[in-house]
Amino acid sequence: MAWIVLVISGVLEAVWATALGKSDGFSRLAPTVVFGITIVASMAGLAYAMRTLPVGTAYAVWVGIGASLTVGYAMVTGSESASVVKILLILGIVGCVVGLKALH
C-alpha cells in the first residue's frame, strides 16, 4: 500500500509544481488553490509512505516521479523545449525509480 500511495504522491507533486508555475507568484486564484490542495496531499502521502519505506528510497522515488512528470508535461504542452537528450535523461530518472522499487 505504501508504494501505491507514494506513486500517487509523486503524481501530485507534478500537479503542484505545475500549478505553482501557473499561479504567477500566487496572483492567480485557481492555480494557487490547486497548488495548496495538492502540496498538502502530496506531502501527506509521502509522510505515510515513509512510515514503512526507507526515507531515502521514498524521497528519491517521490522526487523522480514528480520531476519526470513535470518536465514531460511541460514538453508535451510546449512550455518547455524537447530534445532527444532531454528525453533520454528523463527516461534515466524513470529507470532509476524503477530500479529503486525493484531493489526494495
Side-chain angles (χ1 to χ4, degrees), residues 10-103:
V11 171
L12 289 173
E13 184 196 3
V15 174
W16 70 251
T18 301
L20 179 60
K22 292 183 181 291
S23 75
D24 273 344
F26 301 122
S27 65
R28 296 180 59 220
L29 181 61
T32 300
V33 170
V34 170
F35 167 80
I37 292 168
T38 55
I39 195 168
V40 169
S42 179
M43 292 290 176
L46 176 62
Y48 174 83
M50 285 182 172
R51 290 175 25 190
T52 56
L53 299 174
V55 172
T57 299
Y59 184 70
V61 168
W62 181 75
V63 168
I65 291 169
S68 299
L69 290 175
T70 302
V71 173
Y73 177 79
M75 287 189 300
V76 167
T77 61
S79 61
E80 186 166 329
S81 65
S83 70
V84 172
V85 172
K86 189 181 286 188
I87 292 167
L88 290 173
L89 291 169
I90 296 301
L91 288 174
I93 293 172
V94 173
C96 290
V97 166
V98 170
L100 286 170
K101 168 60 175 125
L103 287 175

